[in-house]
Amino acid sequence: MATQEQLIDIDAVTELMRQPEFADKRFYLIDGEIIEMSPVQRVHSRLASMIDFFLRGYVMSKDLGEVHVEHGFRPPGDRNTMLAPDVAFISHARLSGQPADGFITVMPDLAVEIASPNDSLAQLRRKARIYLDNGSRLVWIVLPSQRGVDVCRSASGARLDIEFVGADGALSGEEALPGFELELSRLFPAPK
């Protein structure tokens, strides 16, 4: 007799987070598999804070939408996948019809994932593919060890169009956040 795996859905994650022993834990969900997120280290935290600062300042000055840190986003109609990007921008248009609280049931316009020492590039690119396949326009994979960012866009088929931007370059918000630009030297200053 074959055993059938039980897929975890968004309701199970929500219930798990209500349990006292899991109150301080963070999770994401891919295809019904729950993955616990480890606490981040100093470089990761600093980069997330800085990206949030620059994005938030731009978005608020132009009243374009919301910037979130580690908030749950799930694809429309998919109750077995929920990602929590390190930083995300979502426009007012995409927020229309969303509940005032809880997980957002569309993917952000721009998702930012910051590589931690225990993340593989394959895992991060899998997340980028999920974001882009489900409505995100742009994904930045920040690579602290390389002092740069993989800029990910949709390409034909199941491919990602990936462009590496080093510490001497700049990120553009492209269609996801028109007019936004961030010099990477602000994130990765020259070593002292």
Side-chain angles (χ1 to χ4, degrees):
M1 175 196 261
T3 58
Q4 185 175 353
E5 284 186 35
Q6 181 179 355
L7 296 179
I8 304 293
D9 69 7
I10 196 70
D11 296 328
V13 172
T14 302
E15 186 57 36
L16 188 67
M17 292 169 57
R18 288 186 183 130
Q19 304 300 317
E21 63 268 29
F22 296 106
D24 296 329
K25 304 218 184 269
R26 299 177 354 250
F27 304 96
Y28 65 94
L29 189 63
I30 296 180
D31 296 330
E33 178 186 351
I34 191 167
I35 299 122
E36 183 177 348
M37 299 184 331
S38 302
V40 297
Q41 295 180 4
R42 180 178 176 188
V43 169
H44 186 122
S45 177
R46 181 181 59 78
L47 287 168
S49 294
M50 292 174 72
I51 293 167
D52 172 62
F53 173 80
F54 293 122
L55 284 175
R56 188 173 302 279
Y58 184 81
V59 167
M60 289 181 71
S61 73
K62 300 191 176 302
D63 191 28
L64 299 173
E66 297 178 0
V67 176
H68 291 272
V69 176
E70 297 178 350
H71 184 78
F73 290 85
R74 65 180 183 86
D78 183 346
R79 301 194 53 76
N80 298 108
T81 298
M82 179 191 62
L83 299 179
D86 293 299
V87 183
F89 160 70
I90 186 163
S91 64
H92 285 307
R94 292 176 62 80
L95 281 167
S96 178
Q98 291 293 312
D101 199 12
F103 301 125
I104 296 175
T105 59
V106 294
M107 290 302 198
D109 295 86
L110 167 64
V112 181
E113 291 284 350
I114 301 170
S116 291
N118 58 339
D119 290 329
S120 73
L121 194 52
Q123 290 170 317
L124 293 167
R125 288 182 175 169
R126 180 180 183 199
K127 288 182 185 179
R129 179 83 268 150
I130 292 168
Y131 289 121
L132 293 167
D133 284 349
N134 290 285
S136 291
R137 295 176 178 213
L138 187 63
V139 177
W140 296 338
I141 300 174
V142 181
L143 303 165
S145 65
Q146 296 179 32
R147 297 176 45 79
V149 176
D150 273 351
V151 177
C152 303
R153 303 170 194 90
S154 285
S156 62
R159 295 182 332 106
L160 286 176
D161 173 23
I162 301 170
E163 173 191 2
F164 179 78
V165 179
D168 58 345
L171 295 175
S172 164
E174 301 181 15
E175 292 178 6
L177 194 53
F180 178 79
E181 188 170 299
L182 175 58
E183 297 289 330
L184 286 184
S185 60
R186 299 183 85 175
L187 300 180
F188 304 108
K192 294 181 183 182

